[in-house]
Amino acid sequence: MAKESTTIEVGEPSTVTKSTSHEKKKGFVAAAAGGGHKRGLAIFDFLLRLAAIGITIGASSVMFTAEETLPFFTQFLQFQAGYDDFPTFQFFVISIAIVASYLVLALPFSIVTIVRPLAVVPRLILLISDTVVLTLTTSAAAAAASIVYLAHNGNANTNWLPICQQFGDFCQTASTAVVAASISVVFFVLLIVISAIALKRH
């Protein structure tokens, strides 16, 4: 009786396994590299927000304290200039204070992007919110800058006399606040660029 020979074919599953493992490893390394890059952007974003908080609080506070009384009049007749004499400056103080409050509230989202650099939702929320707040900051700074310009130079066509020759300290304080708000506008532009880069898929 002839014995039947049994042939066992041995394939090469190890090659497939190694290839799959290698692809997974490459994907993990790529994800880690992307996460590290985005984490660096998130840290820079957080530091910019801290700086913007200081600048916006300073701008709003400085404009709020802008006030000067001319010293050469009696106590019954004095000329005084204050931020509340100009509705535009009042709008500036309120708007920049709102911006500063927003920046404080946005810090937790910025921290989340550091802990989870690949998360899309918090970064998208920051991008949209920063764009809206940038509009408010720009409008407040531009409106205040126009009044500061008229205070310094006046307008002969409308008989708007320059008041900074008399209220020099008041104009200097208001100008400082406007410059600080303009710097915060630049910071917001950088924050929006950072968010756009972080949302880009590699």
Side-chain angles (χ1 to χ4, degrees):
M1 186 175 183
K3 292 183 179 181
E4 295 181 356
S5 61
T6 304
T7 304
I8 300 176
E9 295 182 357
V10 179
E12 296 181 354
S14 60
T15 305
V16 178
T17 304
K18 288 181 179 179
S19 177
T20 305
S21 176
H22 182 65
E23 290 178 359
K24 289 183 177 179
K25 186 176 181 180
K26 286 177 62 178
F28 176 77
V29 172
H37 173 69
K38 291 184 178 181
R39 180 173 283 109
L41 289 175
I43 293 173
F44 186 49
D45 176 282
F46 181 77
L47 294 177
L48 274 179
R49 290 182 190 279
L50 289 179
I53 289 173
I55 290 178
T56 50
I57 291 177
S60 182
S61 301
V62 167
M63 183 65 81
F64 184 77
T65 58
E67 186 177 2
E68 184 178 4
T69 301
L70 297 184
F72 48 84
F73 287 89
T74 65
Q75 60 178 347
F76 301 104
L77 180 61
Q78 292 182 333
F79 288 107
Q80 184 178 17
Y83 89 97
D84 51 352
D85 295 325
F86 301 87
T88 302
F89 288 168
Q90 293 179 2
F91 169 69
F92 178 91
V93 171
I94 296 173
S95 299
I96 301 302
I98 292 174
V99 171
S101 301
Y102 157 76
L103 286 168
V104 173
L105 295 176
L107 285 180
F109 291 93
S110 183
I111 294 174
V112 170
T113 60
I114 297 175
V115 178
R116 301 182 60 189
L118 298 179
V120 175
V121 174
R123 177 58 65 187
L124 186 60
I125 292 175
L126 288 176
L127 175 61
I128 296 173
S129 302
D130 289 343
T131 303
V132 174
V133 175
L134 171 63
T135 305
L136 178 62
T137 309
T138 304
S139 62
S146 65
I147 299 300
V148 170
Y149 175 83
L150 288 175
H152 278 281
N153 301 291
N155 190 315
N157 295 328
T158 57
N159 291 325
W160 185 298
L161 300 177
I163 65 171
C164 289
Q165 295 178 359
Q166 290 79 29
F167 298 96
D169 292 340
F170 170 78
C171 289
Q172 183 64 36
T173 304
S175 299
T176 301
V178 171
V179 170
S182 301
I183 294 174
S184 68
V185 169
V186 176
F187 279 8
F188 272 110
V189 172
L190 292 176
L191 289 172
I192 291 173
V193 172
I194 289 173
S195 295
I197 294 175
L199 285 172
K200 183 180 178 181
R201 294 184 180 273
H202 296 283

